[in-house]
């Protein structure tokens, strides 16, 4: 046993209980994380109850700047608590689990798209300094490690320290993110990118980031999130 496993024992990414050094997740927790499965919205990837529907209610009503999106888990129960710890309780190690599950589900999809680079949704420097890390960047690096696709962390910046999106309604979210992102480098060599984040709710954040990327010359922006709510 590694001495670090004694000092810093591994914890289950879903329940946060200590697990054996060779373990990845508690056997009891395997069924507590619901994977996103078909039928899903063809635009954002939200699970929808009607297989005959093409889009969820949100995507029926509004235009998105990203081309299409996917998510690994349904945002509920154990996954919801896990993501809270990942973002706010310094459980950075959870990123390995999220990245592995993302690639199990979507590595072929990513390969078919011909992605040039993976771009994490950035935090404003003040919020990153307070938290110590960007959870989307950790997730992005795990996907990059497994797919061999470069991760660009110094290309897209959040230039406005926006209010937390969870406090706002849909219209307020859009206004809150207006001109929140900027491009810091020449991106002419990139045609297709995968934009990654932790939680997809209404899509306002990834839309604002995707719009910035497309205005700067990127042709296609796809989205992959750790979790997503249900569609209607």
């Amino acid at each position: 046993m590694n001495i670090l496993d004694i000092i810093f024992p591994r914890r289950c990414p879903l329940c946060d209980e200590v697990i054996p050094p060779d373990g990845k997740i508690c056997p009891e927790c395997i069924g507590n994380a619901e994977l996103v499965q078909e039928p899903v919205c063809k635009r954002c990837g939200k699970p929808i109850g009607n297989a005959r529907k093409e889009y969820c209610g949100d995507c029926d009503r509004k235009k998105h700047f990203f081309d299409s999106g996917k998510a690994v888990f349904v945002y509920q129960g154990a996954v919801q608590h896990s993501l809270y710890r990942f973002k706010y309780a310094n459980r950075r190690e959870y990123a390995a689990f999220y990245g592995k599950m993302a690639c199990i589900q979507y590595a072929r999809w990513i390969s078919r798209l011909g992605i040039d680079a993976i771009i994490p949704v950035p935090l404003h420097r003040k919020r990153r300094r307070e938290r110590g890390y960007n959870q989307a960047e950790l997730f992005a690096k795990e996907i990059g490690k497994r797919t061999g696709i470069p991760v660009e962390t110094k290309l897209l910046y959040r230039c406005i320290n926006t209010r937390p999106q969870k406090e706002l309604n849909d219209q307020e979210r859009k206004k809150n993110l207006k001109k929140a992102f900027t491009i810091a480098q020449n991106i002419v060599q990139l045609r297709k990118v995968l934009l990654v984040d932790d939680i997809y709710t209404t899509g306002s954040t990834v839309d604002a980031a995707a719009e910035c990327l497309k205005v700067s010359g990127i042709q296609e922006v796809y989205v992959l999130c750790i979790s997503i709510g249900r569609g209607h």
Side-chain angles (χ1 to χ4, degrees):
M1 181 182 287
N2 190 311
I3 187 66
L4 288 176
D5 289 328
I6 299 174
I7 301 172
F8 304 108
R10 292 173 184 255
R11 293 182 177 273
C12 171
L14 291 177
C15 71
D16 206 44
E17 292 296 322
V18 174
I19 55 176
D22 57 347
K24 301 294 183 186
I25 185 173
C26 291
E28 303 82 29
C29 286
I30 291 173
N32 291 338
E34 183 181 350
L35 294 171
V36 172
Q37 295 179 326
E38 293 285 352
V40 300
C41 173
K42 299 298 185 289
R43 180 49 61 86
C44 72
K46 282 183 181 178
I48 50 180
N50 189 346
R52 289 176 293 183
K53 285 187 65 176
E54 194 168 3
Y55 302 115
C56 69
D58 279 348
C59 293
D60 259 338
R61 289 192 301 271
K62 62 186 178 185
K63 174 191 172 185
H64 289 296
F65 287 96
F66 62 88
D67 291 86
S68 68
K70 303 284 187 186
V72 185
F73 298 105
V74 177
Y75 186 61
Q76 63 180 18
V79 170
Q80 190 172 352
H81 297 308
S82 173
L83 282 167
Y84 182 87
R85 293 191 300 271
F86 180 48
K87 290 178 72 167
Y88 303 115
N90 203 27
R91 289 290 190 262
R92 307 183 197 196
E93 66 272 23
Y94 289 5
F97 170 69
Y98 301 141
K100 177 183 176 182
M101 296 303 295
C103 289
I104 287 173
Q105 283 183 263
Y106 299 120
R108 287 184 181 178
W109 175 68
I110 294 169
S111 177
R112 284 199 308 269
L113 293 175
I115 296 296
D116 298 313
I118 300 169
I119 301 176
V121 171
L123 288 177
H124 187 268
R125 62 182 180 276
K126 181 176 184 292
R127 195 167 297 174
R128 181 179 180 126
R129 191 163 56 245
E130 291 168 352
R131 190 173 299 173
Y133 60 99
N134 175 7
Q135 69 281 355
E137 183 179 316
L138 299 180
F139 178 50
K141 287 180 175 178
E142 290 294 336
I143 297 170
K145 186 163 63 177
R146 288 169 168 79
T147 61
I149 299 171
V151 178
E152 298 286 350
T153 61
K154 299 191 182 302
L155 190 153
L156 184 67
Y157 278 83
R158 193 180 292 241
C159 51
I160 299 174
N161 189 18
T162 53
R163 290 170 58 193
Q165 290 288 88
K166 62 184 178 182
E167 299 175 358
L168 310 173
N169 62 35
D170 196 21
Q171 288 303 314
E172 289 171 335
R173 286 169 189 248
K174 289 180 184 177
K175 187 176 180 181
N176 188 44
L177 289 159
K178 193 171 181 63
K179 297 183 180 178
F181 298 99
T182 188
I183 294 292
Q185 295 180 14
N186 188 325
I187 59 171
V188 71
Q189 76 279 11
L190 301 178
R191 291 179 58 251
K192 300 180 181 182
V193 300
L194 184 67
L195 185 66
V196 304
D197 204 2
D198 54 349
I199 303 167
Y200 182 105
T201 308
T202 65
S204 297
T205 300
V206 290
D207 260 333
E211 182 181 13
C212 180
L213 291 168
K214 286 198 168 182
V215 167
S216 301
I218 288 177
Q219 295 175 21
E220 297 175 28
V221 178
Y222 298 91
V223 172
L224 178 57
C225 294
I226 299 171
S227 72
I228 197 166
R230 294 188 185 279
H232 302 288

